[in-house]
Amino acid sequence: MAQVQATVKSIDENTPAIYRTYAACIAVGACVLLHLPVPETLPPLRECIPLLPPGLRLFFLYVQAHQAYLAGQYGVCIGIAETALALEDTLYPVPTIYLHLVSTMGHINLKQGEQAEEHLLEAWKIARPDDLLEAFGEHHGLLGGTLEAVLRKDYPDDFKRIIDITYNFSAGWRKIHNPDTGQHVTDALTTMEFTVAMLAARGWTNQEISDHLGIRISTVKWYISIILDKLYIKKREQLPLYMLR
């Protein structure tokens, strides 16, 4: 982040336009993906994205969709991502995986489970042959249990590797995010506990969580009890303080 900030500050009127574009996109992207505020001095992505080559354009459309997701604009998030996917005339595997995952995030927050699972499976079809698992681990907490619902049973070994990636990624992510924002995204929960907590924090009922994850409602209640104990809180209404936005 220090290097990104230093690069942006070094830009002046003599810097070629394409380098200014790259610097702005990377700076905005770093802020968005770390869930940090985007400085007002940076231009909006919509002004920069058309100047990028196709593969990078797709990736930063993903970033723009992710930014809409963080603002709670789930329909806009889905619209950006699905339009980008529809207009893609050459397959760029990595940004395509990310676009499908951000679409999954949008749909699951609108409780559109079928569409969320479709996008996750499309991402999986592209990722698995080349072992591109990192994106799934990076997005685990935001996928609202769709990984557990779709991949855990049929791909147990791959799922375990994704969870390992999740633990490593999220530890570093929190080290930057929490001090810079003053938020307290927890590291006290297992990935399954975090999944249940995320859904509960977003207003899902125990029955909805049970149906989505394919577990008994008594198991959901047990998870909620464990989560509240680990976070030293008494009510599930307090969960958003410790969850991802």
Side-chain angles (χ1 to χ4, degrees), residues 178-222:
N178 286 2
D180 278 16
T181 62
Q183 295 172 359
H184 304 284
V185 178
T186 183
D187 62 354
L189 306 178
T190 68
T191 52
M192 187 61 171
E193 290 165 354
F194 196 90
T195 293
V196 173
M198 279 286 289
L199 295 172
R202 298 194 173 186
W204 288 48
T205 66
N206 289 348
Q207 186 63 62
E208 288 173 328
I209 297 171
S210 169
D211 293 341
H212 177 54
L213 296 178
I215 58 179
R216 295 179 179 179
I217 195 166
S218 58
T219 304
V220 175
K221 292 177 180 178
W222 178 79

Side-chain angles (χ1 to χ4, degrees), residues 6-243:
T7 301
V8 170
K9 288 179 181 178
S10 71
I11 291 171
D12 57 29
E13 65 275 4
N14 298 316
T15 306
I18 190 61
Y19 295 144
R20 292 199 299 269
T21 297
Y22 289 151
C25 285
I26 291 168
V28 174
C31 291
V32 170
L33 300 183
L34 287 165
H35 297 194
L36 304 177
V38 177
E40 294 181 0
T41 54
L42 293 173
L45 283 174
R46 65 177 179 275
E47 295 179 5
C48 301
I49 288 173
L51 303 176
L52 298 172
L56 282 176
R57 192 182 308 150
L58 284 173
F59 180 79
F60 282 101
L61 282 168
Y62 150 78
V63 173
Q64 189 178 27
H66 200 126
Q67 190 173 24
Y69 166 88
L70 292 176
Q73 299 171 342
Y74 304 127
V76 174
C77 162
I78 294 165
I80 293 170
E82 293 188 349
T83 300
L85 289 166
L87 295 177
E88 183 182 15
D89 56 4
T90 300
L91 177 64
Y92 294 87
V94 171
T96 302
I97 290 166
Y98 279 80
L99 284 165
H100 278 299
L101 292 180
V102 79
S103 296
T104 301
M105 289 157 46
H107 280 298
I108 204 63
N109 275 279
L110 294 176
K111 299 185 179 181
Q112 297 170 344
E114 185 175 340
Q115 294 95 320
E117 291 185 11
E118 287 175 1
H119 277 289
L120 189 82
L121 285 172
E122 286 299 316
W124 187 241
K125 287 178 187 177
I126 299 167
R128 192 164 187 253
D130 291 319
D131 206 37
L132 300 174
L133 303 185
E134 284 80 4
F136 296 85
E138 292 169 12
H139 290 79
H140 174 273
L142 299 174
L143 293 171
T146 312
L147 277 174
E148 283 77 3
V150 176
L151 299 184
R152 181 177 54 181
K153 180 180 178 182
D154 293 336
Y155 304 95
D157 292 338
D158 289 326
F159 180 78
K160 182 181 182 301
R161 292 171 58 211
I162 290 169
I163 296 304
D164 290 340
I165 292 168
T166 299
Y167 281 123
N168 289 328
F169 172 82
S170 59
W173 186 93
R174 283 190 300 268
K175 285 180 181 179
I176 299 173
H177 171 84
N178 286 2
D180 278 16
T181 62
Q183 295 172 359
H184 304 284
V185 178
T186 183
D187 62 354
L189 306 178
T190 68
T191 52
M192 187 61 171
E193 290 165 354
F194 196 90
T195 293
V196 173
M198 279 286 289
L199 295 172
R202 298 194 173 186
W204 288 48
T205 66
N206 289 348
Q207 186 63 62
E208 288 173 328
I209 297 171
S210 169
D211 293 341
H212 177 54
L213 296 178
I215 58 179
R216 295 179 179 179
I217 195 166
S218 58
T219 304
V220 175
K221 292 177 180 178
W222 178 79
Y223 272 123
I224 294 292
S225 176
I226 293 294
I227 291 162
L228 296 182
D229 283 346
K230 283 189 173 184
L231 297 180
Y232 299 102
I233 57 178
K234 296 182 179 180
K235 298 180 180 179
R236 62 197 289 159
E237 288 77 14
Q238 296 171 275
L239 286 173
L241 295 172
Y242 303 93
M243 298 294 106

